[in-house]
Amino acid sequence: MKRFFALLTACVLAVAAYAQTAEEIVAKMDAAMEQVSAENGFRMTMDIKIPILGTMSSDAWSLGDKMRLEAQMMGKKLVTWQDGQTEWTYDAGENTITIENQDKTKKSDEQENMKMFQSATEGYDVSIAKETSSAWTIKCKKNRFNTNKDDPKNMEIVIAKDTYYPMSLSAKVDMVTVTMRNLKFNVTEEEVTFNKADYPGATIIDKR
């Protein structure tokens, strides 16, 4: 019996040695994101849930200064590409491609969304809300030192145990719930570059 308890104690101590705090897990997620996002780019799905109007989903690809965004709302599908200077927008319903000088604030909005994944401990108290064999669910609660009115009061991040990559992030701002999910890396140039040959017959509207 003594040998059994000795073995049990050894197992408990071994598990405790590998236990991590929420802050440590988020810090490792930050490090993992820094290693891959800048060089490899990223892809993610964003869901925006608005009462009465429902949920609008969009898919975004980003690599360096280039970005592609696909969104569908009220039965209308739009695809937008940006390269830092120019913006192309394909309207599937009208079968038109509108070319304009890029409004760079749109690019910064996407970058700000990605920053929500990073440095979640800054201005937030974090804790492990749930743990499975493959992921941690981290709860982030805005603390009294965070005076940024635009920061959501609460966020929830799911982090994969094998890679420390974020799997999803959910936040509620006023009545709007935003969820970012399906985050993947290794975006190619083809995925973020507009190619007119992919849309034969589309009418070109050049507003530059």
Side-chain angles (χ1 to χ4, degrees):
M1 183 64 71
K2 290 183 179 180
R3 293 181 62 185
F4 171 76
F5 281 113
L7 178 62
L8 180 60
T9 301
C11 289
V12 171
L13 291 175
V15 171
Y18 285 101
Q20 300 180 78
T21 66
E23 288 83 0
E24 290 172 334
I25 294 168
V26 172
K28 289 182 178 180
M29 179 194 73
D30 288 346
M33 290 280 286
E34 287 178 2
Q35 290 179 356
V36 295
S37 60
E39 297 179 1
N40 304 85
F42 67 87
R43 175 204 181 279
M44 71 175 178
T45 297
M46 179 181 294
D47 300 323
I48 301 177
K49 186 177 181 180
I50 304 174
I52 301 177
L53 296 178
T55 301
M56 181 187 75
S57 293
S58 61
D59 292 300
W61 293 257
S62 180
L63 180 62
D65 290 331
K66 292 186 175 182
M67 187 189 74
R68 171 175 145 222
L69 181 68
E70 292 189 5
Q72 188 158 350
M73 181 174 61
M74 307 294 288
K76 187 173 183 177
K77 180 180 178 180
L78 296 175
V79 185
T80 300
W81 297 261
Q82 296 176 348
D83 66 359
Q85 300 296 326
T86 306
E87 177 176 299
W88 299 261
T89 300
Y90 173 65
D91 186 325
E94 300 293 333
N95 196 27
T96 59
I97 296 171
T98 302
I99 307 175
E100 302 174 276
N101 292 322
Q102 180 179 326
D103 179 356
K104 295 185 179 181
T105 59
K106 293 183 179 179
K107 174 65 176 179
S108 63
D109 286 344
E110 293 301 322
Q111 291 174 331
E112 287 300 316
N113 290 333
M114 278 301 297
K115 287 180 181 178
M116 292 177 69
F117 280 108
Q118 299 174 317
S119 301
T121 54
E122 295 182 7
Y124 287 86
D125 296 323
V126 297
S127 59
I128 300 175
K130 182 180 178 181
E131 181 177 355
T132 67
S133 60
S134 60
W136 295 281
T137 299
I138 306 296
K139 182 179 180 180
C140 308
K141 184 178 181 180
K142 189 176 182 179
N143 61 39
R144 62 188 179 90
F145 301 107
N146 188 343
T147 58
N148 190 335
K149 296 181 179 180
D150 293 330
D151 286 350
K153 292 182 178 180
N154 295 283
M155 296 190 297
E156 187 175 273
I157 307 175
V158 179
I159 302 173
K161 284 187 172 181
D162 57 344
T163 61
Y164 285 95
Y165 292 163
M167 300 171 66
S168 68
L169 182 148
S170 297
K172 188 173 183 178
V173 181
D174 295 327
M175 298 296 290
V176 178
T177 301
V178 178
T179 300
M180 288 174 276
R181 55 186 175 85
N182 293 343
L183 186 68
K184 298 178 181 178
F185 299 98
N186 297 317
V187 171
T188 65
E189 283 285 339
E190 289 76 14
E191 289 178 301
V192 292
T193 302
F194 171 72
N195 186 357
K196 181 181 177 181
D198 292 334
Y199 301 91
T203 301
I204 303 295
I205 304 172
D206 197 332
K207 294 184 177 182
R208 291 174 295 179

